[in-house]
């Protein structure tokens, strides 16, 4: 209903209506109480004004029912807002199981997107309509923040870790993408657009992409270039753990801790290998800090993921 208003962004994701409903409820509630209180102040100021110089106000000793009422009602309202807000928050933070994953690297001052099939984009992101999309994001330098008002989603992009953001576009179109965290001189220029396409158009767009091959195959090449394969061999004879079918598993560390092999763990193991060594192995792996770019790390992660299904070249 507000899409024609220049002040209000279009609603183009499954989350948009839920966020808007909560937002308008809060606006309505705030307006209601503001008007009620302002109205009462004016009414009472007139009604109980001092009518003669010697008039004295009545003594009031409190009223239990009144006080309980004005404590309990706001309590119930705020608890309602809390539960409602929490349910929207959980829905936003938990992506569905099946998502289209796209990597995002923020950098002063641009957005880089990498599709699993190998397409790379800068300041422009193409996605299909009606399919949940998960962004796996990191930064080359400082903290940035992805914000797509039409989708009502927003999340920080932090150097040294992977953060996630998901949305399901409901309408084809082109939507603004902003950086919503002050990140330096040209922060305001760190903008882009999300192009939501019909599934068929999206497939056409994908196939019209570069011939670089998938992210996983780029990772496989990098894996060989860095000679990772001399230690991480598929036959358990190497000096490092076997990577086949490793992603998503829980491994035991020399410290006795157990960790899940996820994006963050693979990244850490490449950059600071000694931090979490798998039980049964020596901390002999050199660090690759400074040798692999954030994009290279994403390629390696995708390669390790692709090793999940016994077929090393899958994807
Ligand atoms: Cu990146 Cu502000």
């Amino acid at each position: 209903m507000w899409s024609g208003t220049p002040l209000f962004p279009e609603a183009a994701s499954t989350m948009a209506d839920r966020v808007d409903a909560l937002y308008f409820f809060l606006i309505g509630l705030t307006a209601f109480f503001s008007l009620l209180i302002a109205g009462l102040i004016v009414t009472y100021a007139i009604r109980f004004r001092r009518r003669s110089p010697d008039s004295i106000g009545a003594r009031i000793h409190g009223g239990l029912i009144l006080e309980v009422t004005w404590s309990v009602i706001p309590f119930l309202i705020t608890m309602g807002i809390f539960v409602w807000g929490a349910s929207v928050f959980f829905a936003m933070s938990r992506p569905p199981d099946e998502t289209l994953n796209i990597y995002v690297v923020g950098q002063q001052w641009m957005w880089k997107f990498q599709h699993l099939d190998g397409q790379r984009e800068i300041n422009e992101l193409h996605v299909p309509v009606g399919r949940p999309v998960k962004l796996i994001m990191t930064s080359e330098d400082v903290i940035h923040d992805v914000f797509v008002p039409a989708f009502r989603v927003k999340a920080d992009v932090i150097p040294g870790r992977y953060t996630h953001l998901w949305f399901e576009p409901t309408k084809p179109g082109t939507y603004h993408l902003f950086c919503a965290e002050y990140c330096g001189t040209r922060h305001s220029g760190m903008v882009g657009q999300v192009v939501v396409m019909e599934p068929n158009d999206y497939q056409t767009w994908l196939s019209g992409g570069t011939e670089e091959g998938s992210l996983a195959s780029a990772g496989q090449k990098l894996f060989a270039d860095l000679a990772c394969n001399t230690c991480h061999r598929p036959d358990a004879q190497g000096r490092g753990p076997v990577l086949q079918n490793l992603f998503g598993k829980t491994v035991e560390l020399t410290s006795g801790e157990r960790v899940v092999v996820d994006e963050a763990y693979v990244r850490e193991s490449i950059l600071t290998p000694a931090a979490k060594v798998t039980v049964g192995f020596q901390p002999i792996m050199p660090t690759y800090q400074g040798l692999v770019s954030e994009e290279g790390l994403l390629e390696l992660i995708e390669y390790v993921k692709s090793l999940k299904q016994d077929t090393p070249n899958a994807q």
Side-chain angles (χ1 to χ4, degrees), residues 47-311:
R47 194 164 156 204
F48 299 112
R49 70 185 184 279
R50 201 177 194 196
R51 286 162 208 266
S52 66
D54 55 349
S55 69
I56 293 168
R59 271 175 176 265
I60 296 171
H61 296 281
L64 186 64
I65 295 175
L66 199 60
E67 285 173 18
V68 168
T69 310
W70 77 45
S71 302
V72 169
I73 292 177
F75 174 73
L76 293 178
I77 294 174
T78 45
M79 281 300 120
I81 295 171
F82 166 67
V83 171
W84 188 357
S87 83
V88 175
F89 176 78
F90 283 131
M92 285 173 129
S93 14
R94 283 201 203 117
D97 291 336
E98 288 297 317
T99 50
L100 172 68
N101 294 347
I102 297 170
Y103 287 105
V104 182
V105 178
Q107 189 190 338
Q108 284 170 324
W109 287 275
M110 62 167 121
W111 294 109
K112 293 184 278 187
F113 300 98
Q114 286 210 323
H115 296 258
L116 296 189
D117 288 342
Q119 278 79 0
R120 293 150 182 272
E121 304 186 73
I122 287 179
N123 293 344
E124 209 175 36
L125 172 64
H126 287 77
V127 289
V129 71
R131 202 167 146 197
V133 176
K134 183 165 92 176
L135 304 182
I136 304 168
M137 316 185 292
T138 191
S139 167
E140 293 274 4
D141 37 49
V142 299
I143 301 179
H144 302 278
D145 189 299
V146 166
F147 180 31
V148 186
F151 298 164
R152 311 288 190 273
V153 291
K154 188 164 173 285
D156 272 0
V157 175
I158 302 168
R161 22 173 146 152
Y162 294 115
T163 54
H164 303 258
L165 180 72
W166 84 274
F167 53 82
E168 185 178 327
T170 49
K171 280 199 268 192
T174 303
Y175 307 101
H176 288 295
L177 167 82
F178 295 109
C179 177
E181 179 70 50
Y182 181 68
C183 55
T185 335
R186 284 171 47 212
H187 154 73
S188 61
M190 193 167 164
V191 294
Q193 52 189 12
V194 181
V195 182
V196 178
M197 309 171 93
E198 291 291 353
N200 288 339
D201 298 343
Y202 178 70
Q203 283 311 322
T204 314
W205 178 83
L206 269 187
S207 55
T210 48
E211 296 298 309
E212 289 170 63
S214 72
L215 217 50
S217 65
Q220 185 179 24
K221 186 172 174 297
L222 187 56
F223 192 79
D225 290 349
L226 294 168
C228 309
N229 50 3
T230 54
C231 293
H232 293 285
R233 292 167 44 168
D235 57 6
Q237 301 300 310
R239 283 173 293 173
V242 174
L243 302 180
Q244 270 68 15
N245 287 309
L246 185 64
F247 199 87
K249 295 265 164 62
T250 304
V251 293
E252 197 176 339
L253 306 179
T254 46
S255 64
E257 264 180 288
R258 297 172 74 81
V259 293
V260 175
V261 180
D262 57 7
E263 286 104 1
Y265 179 67
V266 176
R267 181 181 198 283
E268 185 182 30
S269 300
I270 297 168
L271 299 180
T272 23
K276 291 180 184 144
V277 179
T278 312
V279 82
F281 293 92
Q282 296 299 313
I284 50 166
M285 177 169 157
T287 171
Y288 287 84
Q289 189 98 49
L291 297 176
V292 190
S293 66
E294 287 299 338
E295 279 134 321
L297 287 168
L298 298 178
E299 290 169 357
L300 289 172
I301 288 170
E302 268 315 302
Y303 174 59
V304 173
K305 278 189 187 174
S306 75
L307 295 173
K308 232 174 134 184
Q309 313 84 4
D310 290 315
T311 44

